[in-house]
Amino acid sequence: MSHLMPELLSTWSWRLDRVRNGRTVLTKGQAASARTDLAHDRSAHPSDYAGYEEEYASAVDALEVLAQQANRGDDLLAVLRAERRANDQPARERYATAPDSAGVLRTSLAAEHGRVPAGLPEALDEWVHRLIRYRGGAKVIAPIEAARAEIRLRNEADLDPGAYRNATAAPFYRRVIRELGEIATSQRPGVHVSRRGLHRGLADDSFL
């Protein structure tokens, strides 16, 4: 190739790769602005983009998806504020919703883990198993971690719907997103979540 990839296209290709791998997050506004910037840059320097049509189309398509994502209005900043307010509380009090604190006996989770099918996307599979342990009282998940995981999974599902929204993965994806959202808001001042909606000991002890 006679010249290097345009700097702006190279930058956003790299950032989108980080989004796909869960290492960073783009908001709707950032994605929309980036899409516009790329279009303007290509119009101003068409010769620089010659030979990079595929990379340009891929970046614009991904940014289009992210620009239309349904962002939670109370995502990371609100969770961080709630976490800072809770820092002076004892850990046991902060995580008082753990099943063992309510007197529920822990049981083996092997059977529930065994019902998770093979072939789920890696990030989804990780959170399916972590939430099984969470509901069983063997794992603590902080609200900030849950919020970040929810955003990452939503981004990945938007960028690769075939992997996340097929008949096998979709039910697991929906439940993981719902439970992560409940954990992310569980310590938010003024947020009321019913015992059934937040308590880890759901009526149905299986993941699905």
Side-chain angles (χ1 to χ4, degrees):
M1 190 155 299
S2 61
H3 60 273
L4 297 175
M5 183 185 294
E7 183 178 358
L8 191 62
L9 177 59
S10 175
T11 297
W12 281 108
S13 296
W14 174 77
R15 289 196 66 183
L16 286 166
D17 184 62
R18 289 175 62 83
V19 170
R20 292 185 188 97
N21 291 311
R23 294 192 294 270
T24 192
V25 171
L26 288 181
T27 66
K28 291 176 65 174
Q30 289 172 326
S33 295
R35 182 189 56 195
T36 301
D37 290 344
L38 275 175
H40 288 168
D41 194 54
R42 187 191 188 199
S43 296
H45 309 97
S47 61
D48 291 350
Y49 284 78
Y52 291 102
E53 290 82 4
E54 185 176 341
E55 290 84 355
Y56 174 79
S58 176
V60 169
D61 288 346
L63 289 168
E64 177 72 25
V65 169
L66 293 173
Q68 297 178 20
Q69 65 185 341
N71 280 357
R72 293 167 58 90
D74 55 3
D75 275 332
L76 294 179
L77 291 178
V79 173
L80 282 167
R81 285 195 296 270
E83 190 171 69
R84 284 196 296 270
R85 283 192 292 267
N87 277 341
D88 58 348
Q89 296 177 340
R92 192 65 174 175
E93 181 182 342
R94 278 184 279 158
Y95 302 114
T97 55
D100 56 332
S101 72
V104 178
L105 295 177
R106 294 182 183 178
T107 59
S108 173
L109 302 173
E112 195 168 353
H113 284 294
R115 286 195 291 270
V116 179
L120 295 178
E122 182 179 354
L124 177 60
D125 184 74
E126 174 190 347
W127 279 102
V128 167
H129 289 289
R130 289 190 68 180
L131 285 165
I132 288 172
R133 295 194 296 273
Y134 173 82
R135 285 183 278 110
K139 179 72 179 177
V140 170
I141 301 172
I144 185 64
E145 185 181 15
R148 287 174 173 149
E150 182 189 3
I151 295 170
R152 175 189 173 187
L153 286 172
R154 286 185 184 278
N155 284 345
E156 289 197 2
D158 284 340
L159 292 171
D160 192 2
Y164 281 81
R165 299 198 169 102
N166 58 56
T168 301
F172 289 90
Y173 170 73
R174 288 193 296 268
R175 179 157 182 177
V176 165
I177 289 298
R178 186 182 76 244
E179 292 193 0
L180 287 174
E182 290 172 353
I183 297 168
T185 58
S186 64
Q187 295 172 37
R188 198 77 50 76
V191 173
H192 174 73
V193 183
S194 69
R195 185 173 179 81
R196 175 176 173 78
L198 175 61
H199 184 58
R200 293 182 230 179
L202 299 177
D204 176 8
D205 289 333
S206 65
F207 196 83
L208 289 173

